[in-house]
Amino acid sequence: MTTAMGAALRRIQFGNALAAFGNGFTAPFLFVYAWQVRGLGNGTAGAVLAVFAVVALLVLPFTGRVLDVRGPLPVAYAGSAMGMVGALGFGISESAPSVLVSSALMGAGVAVLQPALATMIVSCSTRVTRSRAFATQFFLNNLGLGVGGLLGGLMVDEHRPATFTLLFVIEAAMFVVLGVVLATVRLPESSGADAEGAQAASSARGAAGAWSVLLRDRSMVLLCVLGFVLFFACYGQFESGLSAYAVEVTRISTSTLGVALAANTAVIVLTQYVVLRLVEKRRRSRVVALVGGIWAVAWVAAGASGLVHGAQAVATGLLITTYALFGAGETMLSPTVAPLVADLAPRRLVGQYNSAFALMKQLALAVGPAVGGLMAAVGAYGAYIVMLVSCSLGVSLLALWLGRRLTPVQDRPHRSVVVAGSGDVPAPGSGADVDVPAEALPGERAAVAAV
Protein backbone atom coordinates (compact mmCIF):
# COMPACT_ATOMS: atom_id res chain seq x y z
CA MET A 1 0.00 0.00 0.00
CA THR A 2 1.39 3.40 -0.98
CA THR A 3 1.53 6.43 1.33
CA ALA A 4 -1.18 8.17 -0.72
CA MET A 5 -3.46 5.13 -0.45
CA GLY A 6 -2.92 5.00 3.31
CA ALA A 7 -3.74 8.69 3.72
CA ALA A 8 -6.91 8.34 1.62
CA LEU A 9 -7.98 5.28 3.61
CA ARG A 10 -7.55 7.10 6.92
CA ARG A 11 -9.76 9.95 5.72
CA ILE A 12 -12.43 7.49 4.54
CA GLN A 13 -12.38 5.69 7.89
CA PHE A 14 -12.60 8.99 9.79
CA GLY A 15 -15.60 10.12 7.77
CA ASN A 16 -17.24 6.72 8.19
CA ALA A 17 -16.80 6.92 11.99
CA LEU A 18 -18.43 10.37 12.09
CA ALA A 19 -21.40 9.13 10.07
CA ALA A 20 -21.81 6.15 12.42
CA PHE A 21 -21.67 8.50 15.41
CA GLY A 22 -24.46 10.62 13.93
CA ASN A 23 -26.54 7.56 13.10
CA GLY A 24 -26.13 6.27 16.65
CA PHE A 25 -27.53 9.56 17.91
CA THR A 26 -30.90 9.05 16.23
CA ALA A 27 -31.47 5.44 15.11
CA PRO A 28 -32.59 4.10 18.52
CA PHE A 29 -35.11 6.91 18.92
CA LEU A 30 -36.90 7.06 15.55
CA PHE A 31 -39.88 5.00 16.70
CA VAL A 32 -40.32 6.87 20.00
CA TYR A 33 -39.87 10.22 18.24
CA ALA A 34 -42.63 9.63 15.68
CA TRP A 35 -44.98 7.88 18.11
CA GLN A 36 -44.78 9.82 21.36
CA VAL A 37 -42.86 13.04 20.76
CA ARG A 38 -44.73 14.07 17.62
CA GLY A 39 -47.90 12.20 18.62
CA LEU A 40 -48.31 10.49 15.24
CA GLY A 41 -49.29 7.09 16.63
CA ASN A 42 -47.52 3.75 16.63
CA GLY A 43 -48.82 2.94 13.14
CA THR A 44 -46.99 5.90 11.64
CA ALA A 45 -43.94 5.13 13.77
CA GLY A 46 -43.86 1.58 12.39
CA ALA A 47 -44.29 2.95 8.87
CA VAL A 48 -41.26 5.19 9.41
CA LEU A 49 -39.06 2.15 10.03
CA ALA A 50 -40.67 0.22 7.18
CA VAL A 51 -40.12 3.06 4.68
CA PHE A 52 -36.50 3.36 5.82
CA ALA A 53 -35.94 -0.32 4.94
CA VAL A 54 -38.06 -0.48 1.77
CA VAL A 55 -36.42 2.56 0.15
CA ALA A 56 -33.02 0.99 0.73
CA LEU A 57 -34.20 -2.14 -1.08
CA LEU A 58 -35.41 -0.01 -4.00
CA VAL A 59 -32.25 2.04 -4.54
CA LEU A 60 -29.56 -0.62 -4.01
CA PRO A 61 -30.20 -2.59 -7.25
CA PHE A 62 -29.29 0.55 -9.23
CA THR A 63 -26.47 1.80 -7.03
CA GLY A 64 -23.87 -0.65 -8.31
CA ARG A 65 -24.26 0.49 -11.91
CA VAL A 66 -23.70 4.14 -10.92
CA LEU A 67 -20.73 3.22 -8.75
CA ASP A 68 -18.96 1.44 -11.59
CA VAL A 69 -19.68 4.12 -14.19
CA ARG A 70 -19.34 7.33 -12.15
CA GLY A 71 -17.12 6.15 -9.31
CA PRO A 72 -17.81 5.94 -5.57
CA LEU A 73 -17.18 9.58 -4.65
CA PRO A 74 -20.20 11.09 -6.48
CA VAL A 75 -22.41 8.35 -5.00
CA ALA A 76 -21.05 9.07 -1.52
CA TYR A 77 -21.73 12.80 -1.98
CA ALA A 78 -25.31 12.04 -3.05
CA GLY A 79 -25.80 9.72 -0.09
CA SER A 80 -24.47 12.33 2.33
CA ALA A 81 -26.75 15.00 0.84
CA MET A 82 -29.85 12.80 1.05
CA GLY A 83 -28.98 11.78 4.60
CA MET A 84 -28.50 15.40 5.64
CA VAL A 85 -31.83 16.54 4.17
CA GLY A 86 -33.61 13.54 5.67
CA ALA A 87 -32.14 14.16 9.14
CA LEU A 88 -33.09 17.84 9.07
CA GLY A 89 -36.56 16.86 7.85
CA PHE A 90 -37.00 14.58 10.82
CA GLY A 91 -36.04 17.36 13.18
CA ILE A 92 -38.73 19.76 11.97
CA SER A 93 -41.46 17.30 10.91
CA GLU A 94 -44.78 17.44 12.71
CA SER A 95 -46.98 15.50 10.29
CA ALA A 96 -47.02 11.93 9.03
CA PRO A 97 -46.26 12.74 5.36
CA SER A 98 -43.20 14.86 6.19
CA VAL A 99 -41.84 12.23 8.60
CA LEU A 100 -42.27 9.48 5.98
CA VAL A 101 -40.56 11.58 3.28
CA SER A 102 -37.69 12.30 5.67
CA SER A 103 -37.41 8.59 6.44
CA ALA A 104 -37.28 7.78 2.72
CA LEU A 105 -34.51 10.32 2.09
CA MET A 106 -32.40 9.21 5.03
CA GLY A 107 -32.95 5.53 4.20
CA ALA A 108 -31.82 6.08 0.63
CA GLY A 109 -28.80 8.09 1.76
CA VAL A 110 -27.61 5.51 4.27
CA ALA A 111 -28.23 2.68 1.80
CA VAL A 112 -26.08 4.10 -1.02
CA LEU A 113 -23.34 5.20 1.38
CA GLN A 114 -22.64 1.60 2.44
CA PRO A 115 -21.49 0.22 -0.95
CA ALA A 116 -19.89 3.55 -1.88
CA LEU A 117 -17.65 3.55 1.21
CA ALA A 118 -16.92 -0.16 0.75
CA THR A 119 -15.86 0.47 -2.85
CA MET A 120 -13.63 3.34 -1.74
CA ILE A 121 -11.98 1.10 0.85
CA VAL A 122 -11.38 -1.53 -1.84
CA SER A 123 -9.72 1.04 -4.10
CA CYS A 124 -7.38 2.14 -1.28
CA SER A 125 -6.32 -1.35 -0.20
CA THR A 126 -4.84 -4.54 -1.60
CA ARG A 127 -5.85 -8.15 -1.17
CA VAL A 128 -3.50 -8.43 1.81
CA THR A 129 -4.52 -5.19 3.57
CA ARG A 130 -8.29 -5.36 2.98
CA SER A 131 -9.01 -7.55 5.98
CA ARG A 132 -7.51 -4.98 8.35
CA ALA A 133 -9.19 -2.10 6.50
CA PHE A 134 -12.67 -3.60 6.78
CA ALA A 135 -12.05 -4.69 10.38
CA THR A 136 -11.17 -1.07 11.19
CA GLN A 137 -14.32 0.14 9.47
CA PHE A 138 -16.44 -2.29 11.51
CA PHE A 139 -14.69 -1.30 14.75
CA LEU A 140 -15.23 2.42 14.11
CA ASN A 141 -18.85 1.83 13.08
CA ASN A 142 -19.63 0.08 16.36
CA LEU A 143 -17.67 2.57 18.42
CA GLY A 144 -19.45 5.48 16.74
CA LEU A 145 -22.89 3.86 17.09
CA GLY A 146 -22.26 2.99 20.73
CA VAL A 147 -20.96 6.41 21.75
CA GLY A 148 -23.65 8.18 19.72
CA GLY A 149 -26.43 6.06 21.21
CA LEU A 150 -25.12 6.62 24.74
CA LEU A 151 -24.85 10.39 24.38
CA GLY A 152 -28.16 10.60 22.53
CA GLY A 153 -29.91 8.70 25.31
CA LEU A 154 -28.52 11.13 27.87
CA MET A 155 -29.65 14.17 25.88
CA VAL A 156 -33.21 13.33 24.87
CA ASP A 157 -36.35 14.00 26.86
CA GLU A 158 -39.62 12.80 25.34
CA HIS A 159 -41.42 15.74 26.95
CA ARG A 160 -39.13 18.22 25.22
CA PRO A 161 -39.28 17.88 21.40
CA ALA A 162 -36.42 20.38 21.05
CA THR A 163 -33.99 17.79 22.46
CA PHE A 164 -34.86 15.43 19.61
CA THR A 165 -34.57 18.23 17.07
CA LEU A 166 -31.05 18.85 18.36
CA LEU A 167 -30.17 15.18 17.83
CA PHE A 168 -31.30 15.28 14.21
CA VAL A 169 -29.42 18.53 13.59
CA ILE A 170 -26.27 16.89 14.94
CA GLU A 171 -26.78 13.90 12.65
CA ALA A 172 -27.28 16.23 9.68
CA ALA A 173 -24.03 17.97 10.61
CA MET A 174 -22.24 14.60 10.64
CA PHE A 175 -23.43 13.93 7.08
CA VAL A 176 -22.07 17.33 6.04
CA VAL A 177 -18.73 16.63 7.72
CA LEU A 178 -18.61 13.24 5.97
CA GLY A 179 -19.04 14.96 2.61
CA VAL A 180 -16.34 17.52 3.45
CA VAL A 181 -13.89 14.82 4.55
CA LEU A 182 -14.54 12.75 1.41
CA ALA A 183 -13.91 15.85 -0.70
CA THR A 184 -10.29 15.71 0.50
CA VAL A 185 -9.87 12.08 -0.60
CA ARG A 186 -7.92 11.34 -3.76
CA LEU A 187 -8.62 7.81 -4.85
CA PRO A 188 -5.95 5.88 -6.78
CA GLU A 189 -6.59 6.01 -10.51
CA SER A 190 -6.46 3.07 -12.86
CA SER A 191 -4.20 3.26 -15.87
CA GLY A 192 -5.67 4.93 -18.90
CA ALA A 193 -6.13 1.67 -20.74
CA ASP A 194 -7.81 0.06 -17.77
CA ALA A 195 -10.11 3.02 -17.23
CA GLU A 196 -11.13 3.19 -20.89
CA GLY A 197 -11.67 -0.55 -20.99
CA ALA A 198 -13.80 -0.50 -17.84
CA GLN A 199 -15.90 2.38 -19.16
CA ALA A 200 -16.40 0.70 -22.51
CA ALA A 201 -17.34 -2.56 -20.85
CA SER A 202 -19.78 -0.79 -18.54
CA SER A 203 -21.39 1.09 -21.41
CA ALA A 204 -21.70 -2.01 -23.52
CA ARG A 205 -23.15 -4.18 -20.80
CA GLY A 206 -25.43 -1.72 -18.99
CA ALA A 207 -27.12 -2.48 -15.70
CA ALA A 208 -28.78 -5.68 -16.95
CA GLY A 209 -25.46 -6.93 -18.31
CA ALA A 210 -23.70 -6.26 -15.02
CA TRP A 211 -26.32 -8.22 -13.13
CA SER A 212 -26.03 -11.02 -15.69
CA VAL A 213 -22.29 -11.27 -15.09
CA LEU A 214 -22.80 -11.34 -11.33
CA LEU A 215 -25.53 -13.99 -11.49
CA ARG A 216 -23.30 -16.24 -13.60
CA ASP A 217 -20.61 -16.00 -10.93
CA ARG A 218 -21.67 -18.97 -8.80
CA SER A 219 -19.19 -18.16 -6.06
CA MET A 220 -20.68 -14.68 -5.64
CA VAL A 221 -24.25 -16.00 -5.75
CA LEU A 222 -23.38 -18.51 -3.05
CA LEU A 223 -21.72 -15.76 -0.99
CA CYS A 224 -24.87 -13.63 -1.29
CA VAL A 225 -27.01 -16.54 -0.05
CA LEU A 226 -24.56 -17.03 2.79
CA GLY A 227 -24.71 -13.30 3.59
CA PHE A 228 -28.51 -13.37 3.72
CA VAL A 229 -28.51 -16.27 6.21
CA LEU A 230 -25.79 -14.57 8.28
CA PHE A 231 -27.65 -11.30 8.66
CA PHE A 232 -31.01 -13.01 9.11
CA ALA A 233 -29.68 -15.19 11.95
CA CYS A 234 -28.00 -12.36 13.86
CA TYR A 235 -28.65 -8.70 13.07
CA GLY A 236 -32.17 -9.37 11.84
CA GLN A 237 -33.15 -10.68 15.28
CA PHE A 238 -31.60 -8.13 17.64
CA GLU A 239 -34.53 -5.73 17.67
CA SER A 240 -37.37 -8.22 17.21
CA GLY A 241 -37.43 -11.91 18.08
CA LEU A 242 -34.41 -12.04 20.37
CA SER A 243 -35.49 -8.96 22.34
CA ALA A 244 -39.00 -10.37 22.69
CA TYR A 245 -37.62 -13.74 23.79
CA ALA A 246 -35.37 -12.09 26.37
CA VAL A 247 -38.23 -10.11 27.93
CA GLU A 248 -41.08 -12.61 27.58
CA VAL A 249 -39.34 -15.96 28.14
CA THR A 250 -36.06 -15.26 29.95
CA ARG A 251 -37.95 -12.52 31.81
CA ILE A 252 -35.18 -9.98 32.05
CA SER A 253 -35.91 -6.28 32.44
CA THR A 254 -35.47 -3.81 29.61
CA SER A 255 -32.55 -2.26 31.49
CA THR A 256 -30.84 -5.67 31.64
CA LEU A 257 -31.48 -6.04 27.92
CA GLY A 258 -29.52 -2.81 27.51
CA VAL A 259 -26.67 -4.40 29.46
CA ALA A 260 -26.74 -7.39 27.10
CA LEU A 261 -26.54 -5.07 24.08
CA ALA A 262 -23.68 -3.22 25.75
CA ALA A 263 -21.89 -6.55 26.23
CA ASN A 264 -22.19 -7.17 22.50
CA THR A 265 -20.65 -3.80 21.67
CA ALA A 266 -17.96 -4.18 24.34
CA VAL A 267 -16.80 -7.51 22.93
CA ILE A 268 -16.52 -5.98 19.46
CA VAL A 269 -14.66 -2.85 20.59
CA LEU A 270 -12.30 -4.62 22.97
CA THR A 271 -11.43 -7.71 20.93
CA GLN A 272 -11.64 -6.68 17.27
CA TYR A 273 -7.90 -6.34 16.67
CA VAL A 274 -7.02 -9.35 18.81
CA VAL A 275 -9.38 -11.47 16.75
CA LEU A 276 -8.07 -9.89 13.55
CA ARG A 277 -4.55 -11.14 14.28
CA LEU A 278 -5.92 -14.62 14.88
CA VAL A 279 -8.05 -14.92 11.73
CA GLU A 280 -6.53 -12.72 9.00
CA LYS A 281 -4.11 -15.44 7.88
CA ARG A 282 -6.66 -18.25 8.10
CA ARG A 283 -8.89 -19.55 5.35
CA ARG A 284 -11.81 -17.17 5.08
CA SER A 285 -14.33 -19.94 4.42
CA ARG A 286 -13.31 -21.78 7.59
CA VAL A 287 -13.46 -18.61 9.67
CA VAL A 288 -17.05 -18.02 8.52
CA ALA A 289 -17.86 -21.69 9.21
CA LEU A 290 -16.55 -21.21 12.75
CA VAL A 291 -18.79 -18.16 13.15
CA GLY A 292 -21.78 -20.33 12.30
CA GLY A 293 -20.77 -22.76 15.05
CA ILE A 294 -20.31 -19.94 17.59
CA TRP A 295 -23.71 -18.50 16.77
CA ALA A 296 -25.34 -21.92 17.05
CA VAL A 297 -23.94 -22.11 20.60
CA ALA A 298 -25.23 -18.57 21.21
CA TRP A 299 -28.77 -19.54 20.22
CA VAL A 300 -28.58 -22.69 22.35
CA ALA A 301 -27.58 -20.46 25.29
CA ALA A 302 -30.54 -18.20 24.55
CA GLY A 303 -32.86 -21.20 24.49
CA ALA A 304 -31.42 -22.49 27.77
CA SER A 305 -31.96 -19.10 29.41
CA GLY A 306 -35.69 -19.61 28.95
CA LEU A 307 -35.63 -23.06 30.51
CA VAL A 308 -33.90 -22.07 33.75
CA HIS A 309 -36.62 -21.59 36.36
CA GLY A 310 -35.96 -20.29 39.85
CA ALA A 311 -32.42 -19.15 38.98
CA GLN A 312 -32.84 -15.76 37.36
CA ALA A 313 -29.17 -14.86 37.72
CA VAL A 314 -28.20 -17.93 35.67
CA ALA A 315 -30.84 -17.16 33.03
CA THR A 316 -29.64 -13.56 32.80
CA GLY A 317 -26.02 -14.69 32.50
CA LEU A 318 -26.92 -17.05 29.66
CA LEU A 319 -28.76 -14.30 27.82
CA ILE A 320 -25.88 -11.85 28.19
CA THR A 321 -23.54 -14.62 27.00
CA THR A 322 -25.69 -14.95 23.88
CA TYR A 323 -25.13 -11.32 22.96
CA ALA A 324 -21.42 -11.56 23.78
CA LEU A 325 -21.03 -14.62 21.52
CA PHE A 326 -22.74 -12.76 18.71
CA GLY A 327 -20.18 -9.99 19.16
CA ALA A 328 -17.32 -12.49 18.97
CA GLY A 329 -18.69 -13.84 15.70
CA GLU A 330 -19.10 -10.34 14.30
CA THR A 331 -15.44 -9.53 14.94
CA MET A 332 -14.51 -12.59 12.86
CA LEU A 333 -16.82 -11.67 9.99
CA SER A 334 -15.71 -8.05 9.54
CA PRO A 335 -12.20 -8.87 8.18
CA THR A 336 -13.51 -11.83 6.19
CA VAL A 337 -16.75 -11.36 4.24
CA ALA A 338 -16.46 -7.81 2.85
CA PRO A 339 -12.89 -8.34 1.55
CA LEU A 340 -14.04 -11.58 -0.06
CA VAL A 341 -16.78 -9.72 -1.95
CA ALA A 342 -14.11 -7.37 -3.32
CA ASP A 343 -11.75 -10.21 -4.26
CA LEU A 344 -14.49 -12.06 -6.14
CA ALA A 345 -15.43 -8.98 -8.17
CA PRO A 346 -13.96 -8.21 -11.59
CA ARG A 347 -12.34 -4.79 -11.32
CA ARG A 348 -14.91 -3.12 -13.54
CA LEU A 349 -17.78 -4.43 -11.36
CA VAL A 350 -16.56 -3.83 -7.80
CA GLY A 351 -19.41 -1.40 -7.14
CA GLN A 352 -21.97 -3.82 -8.55
CA TYR A 353 -20.75 -6.64 -6.32
CA ASN A 354 -20.67 -4.43 -3.21
CA SER A 355 -24.18 -3.17 -3.94
CA ALA A 356 -25.51 -6.69 -4.52
CA PHE A 357 -24.14 -7.88 -1.20
CA ALA A 358 -25.51 -4.77 0.55
CA LEU A 359 -28.89 -5.57 -1.04
CA MET A 360 -28.87 -9.08 0.43
CA LYS A 361 -27.93 -7.64 3.81
CA GLN A 362 -30.77 -5.13 3.65
CA LEU A 363 -33.22 -7.84 2.57
CA ALA A 364 -32.21 -9.98 5.56
CA LEU A 365 -32.60 -6.98 7.87
CA ALA A 366 -36.14 -6.50 6.51
CA VAL A 367 -37.20 -10.16 6.56
CA GLY A 368 -35.48 -11.07 9.84
CA PRO A 369 -37.44 -8.74 12.14
CA ALA A 370 -40.69 -9.59 10.34
CA VAL A 371 -40.22 -13.34 10.85
CA GLY A 372 -38.90 -12.94 14.38
CA GLY A 373 -41.67 -10.55 15.36
CA LEU A 374 -44.37 -12.81 13.90
CA MET A 375 -43.09 -15.90 15.74
CA ALA A 376 -42.85 -13.89 18.95
CA ALA A 377 -46.40 -12.61 18.48
CA VAL A 378 -47.80 -16.16 18.32
CA GLY A 379 -45.55 -17.38 21.12
CA ALA A 380 -43.66 -19.92 18.98
CA TYR A 381 -40.44 -19.45 20.93
CA GLY A 382 -39.34 -23.08 20.85
CA ALA A 383 -39.63 -23.20 17.06
CA TYR A 384 -37.92 -19.81 16.92
CA ILE A 385 -34.80 -21.07 18.70
CA VAL A 386 -34.69 -24.25 16.62
CA MET A 387 -34.96 -22.18 13.42
CA LEU A 388 -32.06 -19.92 14.39
CA VAL A 389 -29.82 -22.80 15.52
CA SER A 390 -30.50 -24.45 12.16
CA CYS A 391 -29.71 -21.22 10.30
CA SER A 392 -26.41 -20.90 12.18
CA LEU A 393 -25.41 -24.46 11.32
CA GLY A 394 -26.49 -23.70 7.75
CA VAL A 395 -23.98 -20.83 7.75
CA SER A 396 -21.20 -23.32 8.54
CA LEU A 397 -22.25 -25.69 5.76
CA LEU A 398 -22.61 -22.88 3.20
CA ALA A 399 -19.20 -21.48 4.16
CA LEU A 400 -17.48 -24.83 3.69
CA TRP A 401 -19.26 -25.30 0.35
CA LEU A 402 -18.13 -21.84 -0.74
CA GLY A 403 -14.56 -22.64 0.31
CA ARG A 404 -14.46 -25.46 -2.24
CA ARG A 405 -15.21 -22.95 -5.01
CA LEU A 406 -12.67 -20.29 -4.02
CA THR A 407 -9.17 -20.02 -5.41
CA PRO A 408 -6.29 -20.07 -2.90
CA VAL A 409 -5.69 -16.33 -3.30
CA GLN A 410 -9.38 -15.61 -2.61
CA ASP A 411 -9.68 -17.90 0.40
CA ARG A 412 -6.28 -17.20 1.97
CA PRO A 413 -4.65 -14.10 0.42
CA HIS A 414 -1.87 -13.77 3.03
CA ARG A 415 -0.65 -17.32 2.44
CA SER A 416 -0.78 -16.80 -1.34
CA VAL A 417 1.63 -13.87 -1.08
CA VAL A 418 4.06 -15.92 1.03
CA VAL A 419 3.92 -18.86 -1.37
CA ALA A 420 4.71 -16.50 -4.22
CA GLY A 421 7.98 -15.74 -2.48
CA SER A 422 7.49 -12.00 -2.22
CA GLY A 423 7.46 -10.03 0.99
CA ASP A 424 6.14 -6.94 -0.78
CA VAL A 425 2.52 -5.95 -0.63
CA PRO A 426 1.04 -6.18 -4.12
CA ALA A 427 0.10 -2.87 -5.59
CA PRO A 428 -3.17 -2.15 -7.36
CA GLY A 429 -2.93 -3.28 -10.92
CA SER A 430 -0.36 -5.95 -10.11
CA GLY A 431 -0.93 -9.64 -10.58
CA ALA A 432 -2.61 -9.88 -7.19
CA ASP A 433 -5.41 -7.63 -8.39
CA VAL A 434 -5.87 -9.04 -11.88
CA ASP A 435 -9.36 -8.46 -13.28
CA VAL A 436 -10.68 -11.97 -13.77
CA PRO A 437 -13.99 -12.19 -15.62
CA ALA A 438 -16.74 -13.72 -13.47
CA GLU A 439 -17.66 -16.09 -16.26
CA ALA A 440 -14.18 -17.60 -16.42
CA LEU A 441 -13.84 -21.25 -15.49
CA PRO A 442 -12.59 -21.92 -11.94
CA GLY A 443 -9.31 -23.27 -13.29
CA GLU A 444 -8.80 -20.22 -15.45
CA ARG A 445 -9.49 -17.88 -12.53
CA ALA A 446 -6.99 -19.76 -10.39
CA ALA A 447 -4.36 -19.56 -13.11
CA VAL A 448 -4.84 -15.84 -13.59
CA ALA A 449 -4.88 -15.16 -9.83
CA ALA A 450 -1.58 -16.98 -9.47
CA VAL A 451 0.20 -14.82 -12.03
Side-chain angles (χ1 to χ4, degrees), residues 52 78 95 194 358 360:
F52 194 94
S95 65
D194 285 345
M360 296 306 295

PDB file of all heavy atoms in Angstrom, residues 52 78 95 194 358 360:
ATOM      1  N   PHE A  52     -37.962   3.296   5.759  1.00  0.00           N
ATOM      2  CA  PHE A  52     -36.501   3.360   5.821  1.00  0.00           C
ATOM      3  C   PHE A  52     -35.894   2.118   5.171  1.00  0.00           C
ATOM      4  O   PHE A  52     -34.927   2.201   4.406  1.00  0.00           O
ATOM      5  CB  PHE A  52     -36.069   3.464   7.287  1.00  0.00           C
ATOM      6  CG  PHE A  52     -34.640   3.872   7.485  1.00  0.00           C
ATOM      7  CD1 PHE A  52     -34.311   5.200   7.670  1.00  0.00           C
ATOM      8  CD2 PHE A  52     -33.628   2.939   7.494  1.00  0.00           C
ATOM      9  CE1 PHE A  52     -32.990   5.595   7.862  1.00  0.00           C
ATOM     10  CE2 PHE A  52     -32.306   3.304   7.683  1.00  0.00           C
ATOM     11  CZ  PHE A  52     -31.989   4.642   7.867  1.00  0.00           C
ATOM     12  N   ALA A  78     -23.849  12.089  -2.945  1.00  0.00           N
ATOM     13  CA  ALA A  78     -25.308  12.043  -3.053  1.00  0.00           C
ATOM     14  C   ALA A  78     -25.915  11.427  -1.800  1.00  0.00           C
ATOM     15  O   ALA A  78     -26.931  11.917  -1.285  1.00  0.00           O
ATOM     16  CB  ALA A  78     -25.717  11.253  -4.294  1.00  0.00           C
ATOM     17  N   SER A  95     -45.884  16.235  10.903  1.00  0.00           N
ATOM     18  CA  SER A  95     -46.983  15.500  10.287  1.00  0.00           C
ATOM     19  C   SER A  95     -46.469  14.184   9.729  1.00  0.00           C
ATOM     20  O   SER A  95     -45.268  14.022   9.483  1.00  0.00           O
ATOM     21  CB  SER A  95     -47.614  16.330   9.159  1.00  0.00           C
ATOM     22  OG  SER A  95     -46.680  16.520   8.107  1.00  0.00           O
ATOM     23  N   ASP A 194      -6.859   0.741 -18.629  1.00  0.00           N
ATOM     24  CA  ASP A 194      -7.815   0.059 -17.770  1.00  0.00           C
ATOM     25  C   ASP A 194      -9.090   0.872 -17.629  1.00  0.00           C
ATOM     26  O   ASP A 194     -10.196   0.338 -17.660  1.00  0.00           O
ATOM     27  CB  ASP A 194      -7.208  -0.180 -16.381  1.00  0.00           C
ATOM     28  CG  ASP A 194      -6.199  -1.304 -16.402  1.00  0.00           C
ATOM     29  OD1 ASP A 194      -6.189  -2.052 -17.403  1.00  0.00           O
ATOM     30  OD2 ASP A 194      -5.428  -1.443 -15.431  1.00  0.00           O
ATOM     31  N   ALA A 358     -24.775  -5.675  -0.337  1.00  0.00           N
ATOM     32  CA  ALA A 358     -25.515  -4.770   0.546  1.00  0.00           C
ATOM     33  C   ALA A 358     -27.018  -4.986   0.407  1.00  0.00           C
ATOM     34  O   ALA A 358     -27.770  -4.886   1.385  1.00  0.00           O
ATOM     35  CB  ALA A 358     -25.158  -3.319   0.226  1.00  0.00           C
ATOM     36  N   MET A 360     -28.525  -7.867  -0.307  1.00  0.00           N
ATOM     37  CA  MET A 360     -28.870  -9.084   0.428  1.00  0.00           C
ATOM     38  C   MET A 360     -28.880  -8.817   1.937  1.00  0.00           C
ATOM     39  O   MET A 360     -29.735  -9.338   2.664  1.00  0.00           O
ATOM     40  CB  MET A 360     -27.877 -10.191   0.093  1.00  0.00           C
ATOM     41  CG  MET A 360     -27.898 -10.626  -1.368  1.00  0.00           C
ATOM     42  SD  MET A 360     -29.552 -11.089  -1.952  1.00  0.00           S
ATOM     43  CE  MET A 360     -29.879 -12.537  -0.951  1.00  0.00           C
TER      44      MET A 360
END
